[in-house]
PDB file of all heavy atoms in Angstrom:
ATOM      1  N   PHE X   1     -31.755  96.927 -17.239  1.00 86.00           N
ATOM      2  CA  PHE X   1     -32.606  96.952 -16.042  1.00 86.00           C
ATOM      3  C   PHE X   1     -33.769  95.950 -16.175  1.00 86.00           C
ATOM      4  O   PHE X   1     -34.167  95.330 -15.186  1.00 86.00           O
ATOM      5  CB  PHE X   1     -33.149  98.363 -15.815  1.00 86.00           C
ATOM      6  CG  PHE X   1     -32.065  99.410 -15.712  1.00 86.00           C
ATOM      7  CD1 PHE X   1     -32.102 100.544 -16.507  1.00 86.00           C
ATOM      8  CD2 PHE X   1     -31.015  99.262 -14.828  1.00 86.00           C
ATOM      9  CE1 PHE X   1     -31.112 101.510 -16.432  1.00 86.00           C
ATOM     10  CE2 PHE X   1     -30.004 100.219 -14.731  1.00 86.00           C
ATOM     11  CZ  PHE X   1     -30.053 101.344 -15.527  1.00 86.00           C
ATOM     12  N   ASP X   2     -34.284  95.821 -17.384  1.00 89.00           N
ATOM     13  CA  ASP X   2     -35.335  94.828 -17.626  1.00 89.00           C
ATOM     14  C   ASP X   2     -34.820  93.422 -17.335  1.00 89.00           C
ATOM     15  O   ASP X   2     -35.541  92.578 -16.795  1.00 89.00           O
ATOM     16  CB  ASP X   2     -35.838  94.897 -19.072  1.00 89.00           C
ATOM     17  CG  ASP X   2     -36.531  96.205 -19.399  1.00 89.00           C
ATOM     18  OD1 ASP X   2     -37.182  96.767 -18.496  1.00 89.00           O
ATOM     19  OD2 ASP X   2     -36.394  96.683 -20.551  1.00 89.00           O
ATOM     20  N   LEU X   3     -33.569  93.196 -17.676  1.00 92.00           N
ATOM     21  CA  LEU X   3     -32.963  91.885 -17.414  1.00 92.00           C
ATOM     22  C   LEU X   3     -32.887  91.623 -15.914  1.00 92.00           C
ATOM     23  O   LEU X   3     -33.257  90.538 -15.445  1.00 92.00           O
ATOM     24  CB  LEU X   3     -31.558  91.823 -18.029  1.00 92.00           C
ATOM     25  CG  LEU X   3     -30.734  90.570 -17.707  1.00 92.00           C
ATOM     26  CD1 LEU X   3     -31.408  89.326 -18.237  1.00 92.00           C
ATOM     27  CD2 LEU X   3     -29.324  90.695 -18.273  1.00 92.00           C
ATOM     28  N   LEU X   4     -32.452  92.608 -15.157  1.00 88.00           N
ATOM     29  CA  LEU X   4     -32.320  92.425 -13.698  1.00 88.00           C
ATOM     30  C   LEU X   4     -33.670  92.128 -13.045  1.00 88.00           C
ATOM     31  O   LEU X   4     -33.743  91.379 -12.066  1.00 88.00           O
ATOM     32  CB  LEU X   4     -31.697  93.673 -13.063  1.00 88.00           C
ATOM     33  CG  LEU X   4     -30.245  93.953 -13.446  1.00 88.00           C
ATOM     34  CD1 LEU X   4     -29.769  95.231 -12.765  1.00 88.00           C
ATOM     35  CD2 LEU X   4     -29.332  92.790 -13.082  1.00 88.00           C
ATOM     36  N   GLU X   5     -34.734  92.710 -13.595  1.00 87.00           N
ATOM     37  CA  GLU X   5     -36.053  92.501 -12.996  1.00 87.00           C
ATOM     38  C   GLU X   5     -36.553  91.077 -13.204  1.00 87.00           C
ATOM     39  O   GLU X   5     -37.507  90.654 -12.542  1.00 87.00           O
ATOM     40  CB  GLU X   5     -37.053  93.500 -13.585  1.00 87.00           C
ATOM     41  CG  GLU X   5     -36.803  94.924 -13.082  1.00 87.00           C
ATOM     42  CD  GLU X   5     -37.987  95.836 -13.345  1.00 87.00           C
ATOM     43  OE1 GLU X   5     -38.255  96.085 -14.530  1.00 87.00           O
ATOM     44  OE2 GLU X   5     -38.611  96.289 -12.363  1.00 87.00           O
ATOM     45  N   LYS X   6     -35.911  90.306 -14.070  1.00 91.00           N
ATOM     46  CA  LYS X   6     -36.298  88.916 -14.276  1.00 91.00           C
ATOM     47  C   LYS X   6     -35.848  88.021 -13.125  1.00 91.00           C
ATOM     48  O   LYS X   6     -36.363  86.914 -12.940  1.00 91.00           O
ATOM     49  CB  LYS X   6     -35.689  88.379 -15.583  1.00 91.00           C
ATOM     50  CG  LYS X   6     -36.289  88.949 -16.859  1.00 91.00           C
ATOM     51  CD  LYS X   6     -35.550  88.430 -18.091  1.00 91.00           C
ATOM     52  CE  LYS X   6     -36.224  88.866 -19.378  1.00 91.00           C
ATOM     53  NZ  LYS X   6     -37.482  88.116 -19.631  1.00 91.00           N
ATOM     54  N   PHE X   7     -34.883  88.504 -12.329  1.00 90.00           N
ATOM     55  CA  PHE X   7     -34.310  87.681 -11.264  1.00 90.00           C
ATOM     56  C   PHE X   7     -34.986  87.973  -9.923  1.00 90.00           C
ATOM     57  O   PHE X   7     -35.141  89.135  -9.544  1.00 90.00           O
ATOM     58  CB  PHE X   7     -32.811  87.941 -11.126  1.00 90.00           C
ATOM     59  CG  PHE X   7     -32.000  87.461 -12.300  1.00 90.00           C
ATOM     60  CD1 PHE X   7     -31.749  88.308 -13.363  1.00 90.00           C
ATOM     61  CD2 PHE X   7     -31.502  86.166 -12.328  1.00 90.00           C
ATOM     62  CE1 PHE X   7     -31.001  87.877 -14.452  1.00 90.00           C
ATOM     63  CE2 PHE X   7     -30.764  85.730 -13.410  1.00 90.00           C
ATOM     64  CZ  PHE X   7     -30.504  86.572 -14.472  1.00 90.00           C
ATOM     65  N   ASP X   8     -35.393  86.916  -9.226  1.00 85.00           N
ATOM     66  CA  ASP X   8     -35.906  87.088  -7.858  1.00 85.00           C
ATOM     67  C   ASP X   8     -34.771  87.458  -6.917  1.00 85.00           C
ATOM     68  O   ASP X   8     -34.944  88.277  -6.019  1.00 85.00           O
ATOM     69  CB  ASP X   8     -36.576  85.803  -7.375  1.00 85.00           C
ATOM     70  CG  ASP X   8     -37.835  85.474  -8.180  1.00 85.00           C
ATOM     71  OD1 ASP X   8     -38.538  86.417  -8.579  1.00 85.00           O
ATOM     72  OD2 ASP X   8     -38.092  84.269  -8.399  1.00 85.00           O
ATOM     73  N   THR X   9     -33.631  86.838  -7.131  1.00 84.00           N
ATOM     74  CA  THR X   9     -32.439  87.134  -6.332  1.00 84.00           C
ATOM     75  C   THR X   9     -31.259  87.337  -7.269  1.00 84.00           C
ATOM     76  O   THR X   9     -31.025  86.535  -8.173  1.00 84.00           O
ATOM     77  CB  THR X   9     -32.105  85.956  -5.375  1.00 84.00           C
ATOM     78  OG1 THR X   9     -33.236  85.730  -4.534  1.00 84.00           O
ATOM     79  CG2 THR X   9     -30.904  86.297  -4.517  1.00 84.00           C
ATOM     80  N   ILE X  10     -30.534  88.424  -7.048  1.00 86.00           N
ATOM     81  CA  ILE X  10     -29.334  88.703  -7.851  1.00 86.00           C
ATOM     82  C   ILE X  10     -28.119  88.332  -7.016  1.00 86.00           C
ATOM     83  O   ILE X  10     -27.775  89.022  -6.043  1.00 86.00           O
ATOM     84  CB  ILE X  10     -29.295  90.175  -8.272  1.00 86.00           C
ATOM     85  CG1 ILE X  10     -30.503  90.499  -9.173  1.00 86.00           C
ATOM     86  CG2 ILE X  10     -27.994  90.498  -9.000  1.00 86.00           C
ATOM     87  CD1 ILE X  10     -30.678  91.947  -9.511  1.00 86.00           C
ATOM     88  N   ASN X  11     -27.477  87.223  -7.375  1.00 88.00           N
ATOM     89  CA  ASN X  11     -26.349  86.737  -6.566  1.00 88.00           C
ATOM     90  C   ASN X  11     -25.029  86.842  -7.334  1.00 88.00           C
ATOM     91  O   ASN X  11     -24.135  86.024  -7.166  1.00 88.00           O
ATOM     92  CB  ASN X  11     -26.595  85.290  -6.110  1.00 88.00           C
ATOM     93  CG  ASN X  11     -26.933  84.376  -7.270  1.00 88.00           C
ATOM     94  OD1 ASN X  11     -26.783  84.760  -8.434  1.00 88.00           O
ATOM     95  ND2 ASN X  11     -27.388  83.179  -6.957  1.00 88.00           N
ATOM     96  N   PHE X  12     -24.952  87.849  -8.203  1.00 91.00           N
ATOM     97  CA  PHE X  12     -23.721  88.126  -8.934  1.00 91.00           C
ATOM     98  C   PHE X  12     -23.468  89.628  -8.901  1.00 91.00           C
ATOM     99  O   PHE X  12     -24.391  90.421  -8.686  1.00 91.00           O
ATOM    100  CB  PHE X  12     -23.822  87.633 -10.391  1.00 91.00           C
ATOM    101  CG  PHE X  12     -25.096  88.037 -11.085  1.00 91.00           C
ATOM    102  CD1 PHE X  12     -25.214  89.268 -11.731  1.00 91.00           C
ATOM    103  CD2 PHE X  12     -26.213  87.191 -11.075  1.00 91.00           C
ATOM    104  CE1 PHE X  12     -26.391  89.639 -12.367  1.00 91.00           C
ATOM    105  CE2 PHE X  12     -27.404  87.558 -11.705  1.00 91.00           C
ATOM    106  CZ  PHE X  12     -27.499  88.774 -12.348  1.00 91.00           C
ATOM    107  N   GLN X  13     -22.212  90.015  -9.101  1.00 90.00           N
ATOM    108  CA  GLN X  13     -21.870  91.426  -9.165  1.00 90.00           C
ATOM    109  C   GLN X  13     -22.227  91.980 -10.542  1.00 90.00           C
ATOM    110  O   GLN X  13     -22.068  91.277 -11.540  1.00 90.00           O
ATOM    111  CB  GLN X  13     -20.368  91.624  -8.914  1.00 90.00           C
ATOM    112  CG  GLN X  13     -19.885  91.111  -7.558  1.00 90.00           C
ATOM    113  CD  GLN X  13     -20.492  91.879  -6.403  1.00 90.00           C
ATOM    114  OE1 GLN X  13     -20.584  93.099  -6.447  1.00 90.00           O
ATOM    115  NE2 GLN X  13     -20.883  91.163  -5.368  1.00 90.00           N
ATOM    116  N   VAL X  14     -22.702  93.200 -10.583  1.00 90.00           N
ATOM    117  CA  VAL X  14     -23.057  93.843 -11.856  1.00 90.00           C
ATOM    118  C   VAL X  14     -22.202  95.086 -12.048  1.00 90.00           C
ATOM    119  O   VAL X  14     -22.079  95.920 -11.145  1.00 90.00           O
ATOM    120  CB  VAL X  14     -24.541  94.223 -11.913  1.00 90.00           C
ATOM    121  CG1 VAL X  14     -24.848  94.985 -13.208  1.00 90.00           C
ATOM    122  CG2 VAL X  14     -25.423  92.996 -11.796  1.00 90.00           C
ATOM    123  N   ILE X  15     -21.585  95.180 -13.217  1.00 91.00           N
ATOM    124  CA  ILE X  15     -20.893  96.414 -13.626  1.00 91.00           C
ATOM    125  C   ILE X  15     -21.625  96.904 -14.877  1.00 91.00           C
ATOM    126  O   ILE X  15     -21.559  96.261 -15.930  1.00 91.00           O
ATOM    127  CB  ILE X  15     -19.406  96.160 -13.932  1.00 91.00           C
ATOM    128  CG1 ILE X  15     -18.687  95.590 -12.693  1.00 91.00           C
ATOM    129  CG2 ILE X  15     -18.728  97.461 -14.390  1.00 91.00           C
ATOM    130  CD1 ILE X  15     -17.243  95.172 -12.966  1.00 91.00           C
ATOM    131  N   PHE X  16     -22.338  97.995 -14.746  1.00 89.00           N
ATOM    132  CA  PHE X  16     -23.091  98.536 -15.870  1.00 89.00           C
ATOM    133  C   PHE X  16     -22.155  99.188 -16.883  1.00 89.00           C
ATOM    134  O   PHE X  16     -21.142  99.799 -16.492  1.00 89.00           O
ATOM    135  CB  PHE X  16     -24.116  99.569 -15.390  1.00 89.00           C
ATOM    136  CG  PHE X  16     -25.217  98.979 -14.561  1.00 89.00           C
ATOM    137  CD1 PHE X  16     -25.166  99.060 -13.177  1.00 89.00           C
ATOM    138  CD2 PHE X  16     -26.291  98.346 -15.156  1.00 89.00           C
ATOM    139  CE1 PHE X  16     -26.184  98.522 -12.392  1.00 89.00           C
ATOM    140  CE2 PHE X  16     -27.315  97.801 -14.390  1.00 89.00           C
ATOM    141  CZ  PHE X  16     -27.253  97.885 -13.001  1.00 89.00           C
ATOM    142  N   THR X  17     -22.493  99.095 -18.149  1.00 89.00           N
ATOM    143  CA  THR X  17     -21.773  99.837 -19.185  1.00 89.00           C
ATOM    144  C   THR X  17     -22.803 100.680 -19.926  1.00 89.00           C
ATOM    145  O   THR X  17     -23.889 100.203 -20.249  1.00 89.00           O
ATOM    146  CB  THR X  17     -21.058  98.895 -20.170  1.00 89.00           C
ATOM    147  OG1 THR X  17     -22.022  98.025 -20.779  1.00 89.00           O
ATOM    148  CG2 THR X  17     -20.000  98.057 -19.463  1.00 89.00           C
ATOM    149  N   THR X  18     -22.467 101.940 -20.156  1.00 85.00           N
ATOM    150  CA  THR X  18     -23.476 102.828 -20.725  1.00 85.00           C
ATOM    151  C   THR X  18     -22.872 103.995 -21.475  1.00 85.00           C
ATOM    152  O   THR X  18     -21.756 104.418 -21.176  1.00 85.00           O
ATOM    153  CB  THR X  18     -24.391 103.388 -19.599  1.00 85.00           C
ATOM    154  OG1 THR X  18     -25.353 104.267 -20.176  1.00 85.00           O
ATOM    155  CG2 THR X  18     -23.594 104.142 -18.553  1.00 85.00           C
ATOM    156  N   GLY X  19     -23.586 104.508 -22.453  1.00 78.00           N
ATOM    157  CA  GLY X  19     -23.295 105.800 -23.020  1.00 78.00           C
ATOM    158  C   GLY X  19     -23.793 106.835 -22.039  1.00 78.00           C
ATOM    159  O   GLY X  19     -24.333 106.499 -20.986  1.00 78.00           O
ATOM    160  N   PHE X  20     -23.669 108.114 -22.359  1.00 62.00           N
ATOM    161  CA  PHE X  20     -24.027 109.147 -21.393  1.00 62.00           C
ATOM    162  C   PHE X  20     -25.537 109.268 -21.235  1.00 62.00           C
ATOM    163  O   PHE X  20     -26.242 109.694 -22.132  1.00 62.00           O
ATOM    164  CB  PHE X  20     -23.442 110.499 -21.804  1.00 62.00           C
ATOM    165  CG  PHE X  20     -23.613 111.552 -20.750  1.00 62.00           C
ATOM    166  CD1 PHE X  20     -22.789 111.582 -19.654  1.00 62.00           C
ATOM    167  CD2 PHE X  20     -24.615 112.494 -20.844  1.00 62.00           C
ATOM    168  CE1 PHE X  20     -22.937 112.549 -18.673  1.00 62.00           C
ATOM    169  CE2 PHE X  20     -24.792 113.454 -19.863  1.00 62.00           C
ATOM    170  CZ  PHE X  20     -23.951 113.489 -18.778  1.00 62.00           C
ATOM    171  N   ASP X  21     -26.035 108.847 -20.106  1.00 61.00           N
ATOM    172  CA  ASP X  21     -27.438 108.996 -19.749  1.00 61.00           C
ATOM    173  C   ASP X  21     -27.467 109.435 -18.297  1.00 61.00           C
ATOM    174  O   ASP X  21     -27.412 108.603 -17.386  1.00 61.00           O
ATOM    175  CB  ASP X  21     -28.197 107.666 -19.938  1.00 61.00           C
ATOM    176  CG  ASP X  21     -29.669 107.779 -19.585  1.00 61.00           C
ATOM    177  OD1 ASP X  21     -30.056 108.750 -18.918  1.00 61.00           O
ATOM    178  OD2 ASP X  21     -30.442 106.891 -19.973  1.00 61.00           O
ATOM    179  N   GLN X  22     -27.516 110.743 -18.064  1.00 61.00           N
ATOM    180  CA  GLN X  22     -27.364 111.269 -16.718  1.00 61.00           C
ATOM    181  C   GLN X  22     -28.414 110.726 -15.767  1.00 61.00           C
ATOM    182  O   GLN X  22     -28.147 110.481 -14.592  1.00 61.00           O
ATOM    183  CB  GLN X  22     -27.415 112.810 -16.731  1.00 61.00           C
ATOM    184  CG  GLN X  22     -27.056 113.449 -15.392  1.00 61.00           C
ATOM    185  CD  GLN X  22     -25.663 113.040 -14.910  1.00 61.00           C
ATOM    186  OE1 GLN X  22     -24.681 113.152 -15.618  1.00 61.00           O
ATOM    187  NE2 GLN X  22     -25.584 112.542 -13.690  1.00 61.00           N
ATOM    188  N   TYR X  23     -29.618 110.526 -16.278  1.00 55.00           N
ATOM    189  CA  TYR X  23     -30.694 110.020 -15.422  1.00 55.00           C
ATOM    190  C   TYR X  23     -30.353 108.628 -14.882  1.00 55.00           C
ATOM    191  O   TYR X  23     -30.456 108.363 -13.684  1.00 55.00           O
ATOM    192  CB  TYR X  23     -31.997 109.978 -16.223  1.00 55.00           C
ATOM    193  CG  TYR X  23     -33.196 109.531 -15.422  1.00 55.00           C
ATOM    194  CD1 TYR X  23     -33.718 110.333 -14.406  1.00 55.00           C
ATOM    195  CD2 TYR X  23     -33.817 108.320 -15.682  1.00 55.00           C
ATOM    196  CE1 TYR X  23     -34.823 109.926 -13.671  1.00 55.00           C
ATOM    197  CE2 TYR X  23     -34.923 107.906 -14.954  1.00 55.00           C
ATOM    198  CZ  TYR X  23     -35.423 108.719 -13.958  1.00 55.00           C
ATOM    199  OH  TYR X  23     -36.520 108.308 -13.223  1.00 55.00           O
ATOM    200  N   ALA X  24     -29.914 107.741 -15.778  1.00 66.00           N
ATOM    201  CA  ALA X  24     -29.558 106.386 -15.365  1.00 66.00           C
ATOM    202  C   ALA X  24     -28.328 106.400 -14.475  1.00 66.00           C
ATOM    203  O   ALA X  24     -28.257 105.680 -13.471  1.00 66.00           O
ATOM    204  CB  ALA X  24     -29.329 105.508 -16.584  1.00 66.00           C
TER     205      ALA X  24
END
């Protein structure tokens, strides 16, 4: 998420990968 906040515009598709974090 910190990485995404570096971009003014996100012009690519994102597929998140994660361990179990229900909040996220």
